Amino acid sequence: MDTGADRGREAGSGPEPEHGAGAGAGGSRAGSSGADGSGDGSTGSAAGAAAEAGARPYDVVLFGATGFVGELTAEYLAEHAPEECRWALAGRNRAALAALRDRLAARWPRCADLPLVVADADDADSLRDLAESTRVVATTVGPYVWYGDGLVAACAEAGTDCVDLTGEAEFVDLTYVRHDARARETGARIVHACGFDSVPHDLGVYFTVQQLPEGVPLRVDGFVRAGAAFSGGTFASALTALGRGREMLRAAHERHLYEPRLVGRRARAPLGAPRFSTETGTWALPLPTLDPQIVARSAAGLERYGPDFRYRHYASVKTLPMALGGTAAVGASVAAAQLPSVRGWLMERYSAGEGPSAERRARSWFSVRFVGEGGGRRVFTEVSGGDPGYDETAKMLAESALCLAFDPLPKTAGQVTTAVAMGDALTARLRSAGIRFRVAHRG
């Protein structure tokens, strides 16, 4: 579920902090690694904090802060960022940023002097200055295939970590081809899909694999259930992705030409067939989302997933009529998205920045159940939480940014997944923040 929401064409005047950076320092950031983007050792320790603190004014900048999910992320940071975290709000409209700061300060007085940074997704100079001002950028500005590449380019060049909420496979593949090599050189960690796409699935499989034997072929199936509404930004991103099938295939092919092949191991995420799942007692419909691709890339990057790993990703539906109705709805959405006039009309029905009410979000929930097998053992696990698209997504994005800024982490660089870059540390953060990871059964 892509939750990009703060978009626009107004040119920015370049990042101009309205106030100076706050005091305090985070941990040191990752340096460049080997050709595979991995290595021994860790980063983020307090020992390197002092040197890094003098280099850049901010630890974290939230870009797209005035969008729907952006404001939720700002609220989460206002409440949960550590006192020493030097963070700032960024976007293209200073007045809107100032109004958001006022709303935050009314609840959290320490936000009264929160710095404001003006930057625009279409202004390369402003994006460069933004990237050079901070150690980590968290961005909600989407659809990312339209508005995201410039920021990734700037972060890769500046050696700045970048996290986003994209669920757009085309964007992820394009940024890999265009910017992964430079990010490896500068030490930047480009971590896409740090919301409901794809944190519960990526870290859920990571958690499941840890319950199974090492050094053996592993099989994991994931079954997703959720009850939630969506925002205008999510709707626009979804329609954009559905309407760009040819471009998505072209980007995937180009990535395939550039991406190194695994030697002596396999990591796959084939599209499963519709079936009745005896493990969950529901109908399982294959989900052709970004999530299984992210899981497969984590498996390729981590030997703990074994010599031969396979993941299948499903929507879990209680009854056959619901399964048939869901299949028909997806087909209709894909067909509608191919027609520019229909796609434009549908986008007009929802405005960017709008989303479900707090009351509606309070009733929302998600559950992802995993069945893992290997080495003669079988395990059932679950990752679950509240509103997946907004409240929990804001939490996941904020905690991902804080994790990169402050936690001791494996040494990685380039385009990496949440499991590869932050696996244990981010899982621990999310559990402390109320997202549940549990083993339901071992067999």
Side-chain angles (χ1 to χ4, degrees), residues 126-138:
S126 75
L127 295 178
R128 182 195 63 239
D129 292 345
L130 169 60
E132 291 176 351
S133 74
T134 185
R135 298 167 54 229
V136 183
V137 175

Side-chain angles (χ1 to χ4, degrees), residues 32-39 176 180-181 184-185 258 260 413-415:
S32 179
S33 64
D36 63 353
S38 62
Y176 177 85
D180 174 74
R184 291 176 189 273
E185 292 172 355
Y258 279 83
Q415 189 187 105

